[in-house]
Amino acid sequence: MFTTRPTLQGTFGMVSSTHWLASQAAMAILEEGGNAFDAAVAAGFTLHVVEPHLNGPAGDAPIILAPSGGPVRVLCGQGPAPMGATIEHFTGLGLELVPGTGPLSAVVPGAFDAWMTLLRDHGTRPLRRVLEAAIGYAEHGHPVVEQVCRTVEGVRELLETEWTSSAEVYLPTGRAPVPGGLLRNPDLAATWRRLLAEAEAASPHREGQIDAARRIWREGFIGEALVSHAARPAMDSSGRRHASPLTGDDLTGWAASYEEPARYDHGDWTVCKPGPWSQGPVLLQQLALLGDAPADLLAEAGGGRAGGTRALAPEETAAYPEYLHLLLEASKLAMADREAWYGDAGPAPVPLEDLLSEEYNTGRRALIGPHASTELRPGSPGGRPPRLARAASDPG
């Protein structure tokens, strides 16, 4: 097939992200002698500015890292629910479900601490340098992508009535930004500049400045602003206004942490994902459910088996209905297990070893018939009955 986008190759380094400005910021770090972790942090903070509809410093950041010569690790940047977000708290508000939007749905912010931990432990560049691009684009503006414009327009009413401080950024003239127009976030730039000034005053050393920034996020002017804003009631999907139970103790009581990845050996590859506090193990379950079946189907269809299952080009997939059917049905089964088994450990750990075992997946694979299933069918790893949230078991 002819393509104007050939496979990229290089001998120095490469960056891939969802926005060209983030990739450019990261590549600049590499070119001046920074390492991949420095570049990743620079890209991450730039994405907070140029793709605010997708991520932010108060979001989450599951990170998989593989240092040269070191083991693969997971850095958990997913904060927990606030300590006050109990069943009793929600039922006391007259709620049967946690609203999908608004302050009650928010967890302890995790992304900032995860990026800082990654930079401190594995990077080489000062905090000021990796924040430079993000500050510049926030202060001076960046060409806004079309999806940001559509997102802002879609939540215009909430911006105007509930999220008024955000409206000052995204509706500065009362109108949504237009694709390609410059979008600025001067308050974010000022926040990072103040953070840098206070962190650099706290320590002359790179690591000390990064740890100071982490403290400022939790306990300093940023932490105070986070707690203050969380306490302001805002409209959510319940149709009522609620405040978040987030407190300063929630911020100081959590930190990003390292852990072993979930692993699955598939052919010659070992695939690593974050644990079942994320949905990462779904891919591992999909591989376990598929086994050698995709390769067998491709071999029968002439796709060959050299080196394992090869990726199919879009125009080829129509010729492999059995292949696609198997992929989709296996994905449904893995997703059903996600609904029943993933999440906080609770009184018992998530039975990931059973979910990835050959015995369990052989039984699950037998559920894949010739026709597409429309049922949500979680399994019973280790003989334990699945437990689904009401919203999952009765989506209607």
Side-chain angles (χ1 to χ4, degrees):
M1 181 182 72
F2 173 76
T3 176
T4 58
R5 297 184 178 182
T7 300
L8 299 177
Q9 294 178 303
T11 58
F12 176 73
M14 186 175 293
V15 175
S16 177
S17 80
T18 53
H19 197 287
W20 69 94
L21 291 179
S23 298
Q24 176 178 290
M27 197 66 207
I29 295 286
L30 292 180
E31 289 173 343
E32 70 178 38
N35 66 22
F37 303 103
D38 299 314
V41 177
F45 277 89
T46 302
L47 288 172
H48 296 167
V49 177
V50 300
E51 290 188 337
H53 62 305
L54 297 179
N55 69 138
D60 57 74
I63 298 171
I64 305 176
L65 57 144
S68 178
V72 177
R73 303 294 303 278
V74 166
L75 179 55
C76 177
Q78 171 63 66
M83 290 181 284
T86 62
I87 293 176
E88 292 75 20
H89 178 72
F90 290 108
T91 56
L93 295 173
L95 297 171
E96 295 183 354
L97 293 173
V98 179
T101 63
L104 285 178
S105 64
V107 298
V108 177
F112 182 85
D113 198 67
W115 286 121
M116 291 296 99
T117 301
L118 183 72
L119 181 66
R120 181 197 64 190
D121 296 345
H122 299 281
T124 64
R125 286 298 181 261
L127 178 58
R128 178 174 291 275
R129 178 62 188 98
V130 298
L131 290 181
E132 191 174 90
I135 293 173
Y137 290 125
E139 189 167 57
H140 303 296
H142 59 90
V144 64
V145 296
E146 185 175 351
Q147 188 57 45
V148 171
C149 305
R150 287 199 294 264
T151 301
V152 170
E153 192 60 54
V155 295
R156 169 189 287 275
E157 183 177 351
L158 283 171
L159 287 168
E160 292 174 337
T161 60
E162 304 293 329
W163 308 335
T164 53
S165 59
S166 295
E168 294 173 5
V169 176
Y170 299 109
L171 298 170
T173 62
R175 297 180 180 180
V178 296
L182 284 183
L183 180 64
R184 300 175 63 242
N185 192 337
D187 287 344
L188 180 59
T191 298
W192 292 150
R193 290 194 183 282
R194 179 176 171 183
L195 174 86
L196 286 172
E198 294 188 11
E200 290 171 347
S203 174
H205 306 295
R206 190 186 78 93
E207 292 81 359
Q209 291 172 5
I210 294 170
D211 280 334
R214 297 173 69 209
R215 289 192 298 271
I216 294 165
W217 178 270
R218 295 190 184 99
E219 308 170 27
F221 77 97
I222 294 179
E224 292 172 357
L226 289 170
V227 173
S228 174
H229 190 78
R232 294 170 51 192
M235 185 67 68
D236 57 39
S237 53
S238 73
R240 290 184 285 154
R241 289 183 173 84
H242 296 105
S244 168
L246 181 77
T247 68
D249 288 341
D250 290 311
L251 294 179
T252 59
W254 180 86
S257 58
Y258 293 99
E259 60 186 52
E260 290 295 313
R263 291 182 170 90
Y264 184 76
D265 293 327
H266 185 71
D268 296 332
W269 297 88
T270 297
V271 184
C272 297
K273 285 289 184 178
W277 49 265
S278 74
Q279 66 174 353
V282 163
L283 176 61
L284 307 185
Q285 282 198 250
Q286 289 170 333
L287 294 174
L289 279 161
L290 292 171
D292 290 331
D296 294 336
L297 283 172
L298 284 177
E300 292 174 8
R305 295 191 61 177
T309 305
R310 71 176 177 87
L312 297 178
E315 70 274 10
E316 294 180 287
T317 57
Y320 294 91
E322 295 88 355
Y323 177 89
L324 294 179
H325 174 71
L326 179 64
L327 289 179
L328 293 171
E329 294 305 300
S331 296
K332 291 178 188 177
L333 292 173
M335 292 290 187
D337 277 341
R338 179 196 67 177
E339 295 300 314
W341 295 106
Y342 291 19
D344 294 336
V350 176
L352 192 57
E353 184 175 348
D354 288 331
L355 289 168
L356 296 177
S357 69
E358 183 176 353
E359 179 183 5
Y360 176 75
N361 285 286
T362 297
R364 295 283 279 162
R365 197 177 303 121
L367 296 175
I368 300 176
H371 303 291
S373 171
T374 59
E375 300 177 18
L376 186 68
R377 300 182 291 175
S380 300
R384 284 160 286 194
R387 185 177 180 182
L388 289 167
R390 190 182 69 185
S393 57
D394 183 21

